[in-house]
Amino acid sequence: MAEDWKPRTRLVHGGARRSHYREVSEALFLTQGFVYETAAEAEARFRQAGPDEFIYARYGNPTVAIFEDRIAGLEGCEAGFATASGMAAVAGALMALTKAGDHVVAARALFGSCLYVLEEVLGRFGVEVTLVDGTDLDQWRAAVRADTRLVFFESVSNPALEVIDIAAVAEIAHAAGALVVVDNVFATPVFSRAAEQGADIVIYSATKHIDGQGRALGGVILGPREILRGPVQTYMKHTGGALSPFNAWVMLKGLETMDLRVRAQAESAAQIAAALEGHPKLARVLYPGLASHPQFDLAQRQMGSGGTMLALELAGGQAAAFRALDALRVVLISNNLGDAKSIATHPATTTHQRLPEAQKAALGITPGLVRLSVGLEDPGDLIDDLLQALDAA
């Protein structure tokens, strides 16, 4: 990959490998294993596989490798390991990099499954976890200790869209010798600056904006080659969370159009947020691209965009939120995000349902909160749909 290629070119050509047939579209290698010419060659490969040599699909695959190299090059990381889902990436990174007796500091505003991995899984194996308000740097300073192994946070939180200062938290963590692990899904690889701003490990659910069309599950862990080809790959290959070649091929096709899609979605999201702010049925509109957002300035510095996600809090609580959701004609009710189709979610009763009520309240997940993932429909149609749904609320 040419070092001077711009992001959109990297998304189309990065990491390319071609067979002797010289195909245009990336080849799909649907195989679980590979053949060796001799027993000595098999022995040598099991001792140390070369950079373009493969052993077993759980360890690596040519199609998967193209996806890993392409997204790593875009993100500015040395290496990547593709996983079966976004949560496989989160769990794999956290499990591979910690051991009993370690300390982890994490932002409290996280997707419900991330909280489960931190509080239940890591805790069960003897890792101490401290949760902090991710927007409060003093809490990070107070929580990070000499034995802190890593810090973990979503750069833009799910679902209340808090924006975490990556560079500032990284400075605190690195001063104590801790790694910085960032879930960058809401920021997207298009607006991402996480690795440049101090993240050691960057995680994506490829299910979201990377695929972007609701077709397949996938995830990826990105970072330094020493970590990715060391503890992360070792853990993942032995526990079986690798991405399938077919899903990797789908993700490669998604990458080709991701920049165009995500920029269009973010532009629509900004129009929707501006149109809905101040609506009498809404207690608040949360969008990092609005000047009223608490971290607006940080979002502009860190991403240069408000992104594709909004949160709308209906003044009438859950009953009003349900009435509005049921009245939608264009926007779908589902729990995915980053899709070409606009999707509305009620986090308090779905994605974050298991959280205690006090914890939901602390995270801003009120009964009236609706998360909106903006798709590729005409923004005028989306605004009209949301306004008529609010009338029904």
Side-chain angles (χ1 to χ4, degrees):
M1 181 171 65
E3 293 299 321
D4 59 348
W5 282 354
K6 293 180 173 60
R8 275 171 57 176
T9 307
R10 290 171 182 250
L11 285 168
V12 176
H13 295 290
R17 288 169 169 81
R18 287 187 172 88
S19 74
H20 65 285
Y21 293 113
R22 309 301 294 166
E23 60 278 351
V24 173
S25 182
E26 293 80 10
L28 173 54
F29 291 91
L30 287 177
T31 180
Q32 87 282 30
F34 301 85
V35 174
Y36 315 101
E37 292 294 330
T38 65
E41 181 187 347
E43 178 189 27
R45 195 171 298 185
F46 267 78
R47 287 185 183 278
Q48 182 62 58
D52 206 33
E53 294 181 337
F54 302 94
I55 296 171
Y56 191 61
R58 182 157 44 86
Y59 300 8
N61 168 281
T63 310
V64 176
I66 301 172
F67 171 66
E68 291 169 341
D69 290 350
R70 186 167 295 178
I71 190 68
L74 175 70
E75 193 69 27
C77 294
E78 291 180 341
F81 191 93
T83 63
S85 68
M87 281 312 307
V90 171
L94 295 177
M95 292 294 287
L97 297 174
T98 58
K99 64 182 185 307
D102 283 344
H103 178 237
V104 171
V105 182
R108 67 186 183 186
L110 295 169
F111 178 53
S113 295
C114 293
L115 286 168
Y116 173 81
V117 172
L118 286 164
E119 296 178 319
E120 300 291 335
V121 178
L122 292 187
R124 192 184 307 154
F125 290 100
V127 177
E128 182 185 355
V129 177
T130 301
L131 298 178
V132 300
D133 177 348
T135 65
D136 186 340
L137 295 178
D138 287 336
Q139 290 197 25
W140 286 104
R141 293 186 186 98
V144 171
R145 312 185 311 223
D147 64 342
T148 300
R149 170 60 175 156
L150 61 84
V151 303
F152 174 70
F153 57 92
E154 296 168 354
S155 56
V156 182
S157 73
N158 180 6
L161 301 169
E162 294 179 352
V163 183
I164 310 299
D165 191 331
I166 298 173
V169 175
E171 183 178 1
I172 294 166
H174 290 157
L179 294 171
V180 177
V181 182
V182 176
D183 182 331
N184 217 32
V185 168
F186 275 33
T188 81
V190 172
F191 302 125
S192 166
R193 303 290 186 275
E196 292 178 14
Q197 292 164 348
D200 299 296
I201 302 294
V202 182
I203 293 169
Y204 287 106
S205 171
T207 311
K208 311 303 190 289
H209 301 89
I210 292 173
D211 171 22
Q213 292 157 81
R215 299 169 296 190
L217 293 174
V220 65
I221 308 167
L222 304 164
R225 185 170 287 103
E226 180 183 7
I227 294 176
L228 266 292
R229 296 294 167 247
V232 169
Q233 182 169 313
T234 300
Y235 177 85
M236 295 305 300
K237 77 178 186 181
H238 289 303
T239 56
L243 182 65
S244 79
F246 179 79
N247 286 20
W249 185 83
V250 171
M251 299 307 172
L252 283 166
K253 299 297 98 184
L255 283 177
E256 292 178 352
T257 62
M258 182 179 66
D259 189 278
L260 299 171
R261 288 185 285 102
V262 168
R263 290 187 189 280
Q265 289 168 299
E267 184 177 335
S268 293
Q271 293 182 43
I272 293 167
L276 297 186
E277 189 171 34
H279 193 285
K281 295 288 184 74
L282 294 173
R284 58 179 178 158
V285 175
L286 290 170
Y287 180 63
L290 286 176
S292 58
H293 190 280
Q295 293 94 41
F296 170 76
D297 291 337
L298 173 61
Q300 293 305 306
R301 293 197 312 272
Q302 193 158 284
M303 297 192 298
S305 169
T308 69
M309 305 293 299
L310 292 86
L312 310 174
E313 184 176 353
L314 280 85
Q318 181 174 319
F322 275 28
R323 285 194 296 271
L325 288 167
D326 292 346
L328 291 167
R329 298 168 183 166
V330 178
V331 180
L332 306 176
I333 303 173
S334 187
N335 49 284
N336 194 25
L337 60 95
D339 198 283
K341 299 175 177 67
S342 292
I343 291 172
T345 306
H346 188 252
T349 56
T350 58
T351 57
H352 292 70
Q353 183 185 63
R354 77 171 191 90
L355 299 182
E357 293 304 318
Q359 192 171 0
K360 289 178 188 175
L363 298 177
I365 306 172
T366 64
L369 191 75
V370 172
R371 188 188 74 189
L372 178 64
S373 172
V374 178
L376 291 174
E377 303 93 343
D378 185 282
D381 287 340
L382 293 174
I383 290 169
D384 288 346
D385 191 32
L386 290 162
L387 288 173
Q388 67 85 23
L390 289 173
D391 287 343

